Amino acid sequence: GNSVTQMEGPVTLSEEAFLTINCTYTATGYPSLFWYVQYPGEGLQLLLKATKADDKGSNKGFEATYRKETTSFHLEKGSVQVSDSAVYFCALRENSNYQLIWGAGTKLIIKP
Amino acid sequence: DAGVTQSPTHLIKTRGQQVTLRCSPKSGHDTVSWYQQALGQGPQFIFQYYEEEERQRGNFPDRFSGHQFPNYSSELNVNALLLGDSALYLCASSARAGRFFSNQPQHFGDGTRLSIL
């Protein structure tokens, strides 16, 4: 079945460091891929998305490229801030339905 | 423009009781999905409602049921509560665009934190 695997956290970085959070997936078709962010005490917010191979999603300095050959959708940011501290979830959705399949989440801690 | 709203924000119940959670979708959205998020884990899909019918269901027992109203709002009902039902329950809405699935993402509410004693 479909699944999403994320790198385990927590990931702890200093402010202005480069961020990569790995995400790989298995799917039978050609899913859409998403990164959601959950700040402490809040609900899930869509961060970025990509709907087909080689698409690059970007938002708030974060980027992720849909790599079909490696079935990956790694999240990157060139210079993180303390305010980026949150839990990041990678998710996929088959184009034939609405159900989102989620990774376990990666907690990101940015120290000043 | 209000986003997805859920009520209540927190709820405490005891084993064996029943609970109803409520969700109002984002304006313009007609499809509502419910997820259960246990502490430290990713959300798990419970079911999805469209045109007042359950269209898809995840791996949850029949104790979990729902309803969608003509104004697209939705309820999640859980009967015979177990300790393991303690979780954050998330509602998400999106626009289906008729019979066909839209590639628009789901928008989430802040969730209802359910604690079972």
Side-chain angles (χ1 to χ4, degrees):
Chain A
N2 299 336
S3 67
V4 175
T5 303
Q6 290 181 236
M7 62 189 295
E8 287 191 23
V11 173
T12 304
L13 296 172
S14 298
E15 207 167 18
E16 299 184 2
F18 184 87
L19 168 71
T20 300
I21 299 178
N22 290 336
C23 170
T24 57
Y25 67 91
T26 58
T28 53
Y30 300 91
S32 296
L33 300 173
F34 305 87
W35 277 100
Y36 279 83
V37 58
Q38 190 170 37
Y39 297 102
E42 298 184 13
L44 291 155
Q45 301 176 26
L46 177 67
L47 183 58
L48 52 84
K49 68 171 184 175
T51 58
K52 61 183 186 297
D54 299 326
D55 267 3
K56 177 184 283 187
S58 61
N59 186 27
K60 299 181 181 180
F62 291 90
E63 292 183 340
T65 301
Y66 189 142
R67 301 287 188 197
K68 188 173 185 303
E69 64 276 13
T70 55
T71 61
S72 65
F73 193 55
H74 304 321
L75 182 68
E76 297 181 335
K77 187 175 185 182
S79 177
V80 292
Q81 306 300 314
V82 172
S83 58
D84 294 326
S85 298
V87 180
Y88 292 80
F89 291 92
C90 184
L92 73 79
R93 188 185 70 207
E94 289 282 5
N95 288 330
S96 59
N97 66 68
Y98 262 129
Q99 179 181 348
L100 283 167
I101 308 296
W102 298 81
T106 302
K107 184 174 184 178
L108 175 65
I109 301 170
I110 307 300
K111 296 187 174 181
Chain B
D1 180 21
V4 179
T5 57
Q6 292 186 243
S7 63
T9 54
H10 295 85
L11 203 51
I12 299 174
K13 292 285 187 177
T14 58
R15 283 178 295 176
Q17 285 189 309
Q18 178 267 343
V19 68
T20 297
L21 310 181
R22 296 176 175 82
C23 171
S24 292
K26 181 179 169 66
S27 177
H29 287 182
D30 57 6
T31 300
V32 172
S33 300
W34 286 92
Y35 293 83
Q36 180 193 66
Q37 186 180 16
L39 200 61
Q41 297 183 22
Q44 298 293 315
F45 175 74
I46 303 175
F47 43 52
Q48 180 196 89
Y49 277 82
Y50 171 67
E51 289 186 334
E52 302 178 45
E53 290 189 16
E54 183 183 295
R55 299 292 180 170
Q56 282 185 285
R57 189 178 183 92
N59 188 26
F60 279 80
D62 292 344
R63 299 186 297 109
F64 289 78
S65 63
H67 188 76
Q68 186 180 34
F69 299 93
N71 66 353
Y72 309 121
S73 66
S74 177
E75 290 182 348
L76 164 65
N77 301 293
V78 187
N79 295 323
L81 286 166
L82 304 173
L83 291 177
D85 296 332
S86 295
L88 181 67
Y89 287 85
L90 296 166
C91 172
S93 73
S94 53
R96 178 177 283 247
R99 291 180 55 211
F100 304 101
F101 290 97
S102 165
N103 65 0
Q104 293 305 306
Q106 296 181 4
H107 293 253
F108 285 80
D110 287 341
T112 294
R113 174 72 62 187
L114 176 63
S115 299
I116 311 302
L117 303 179

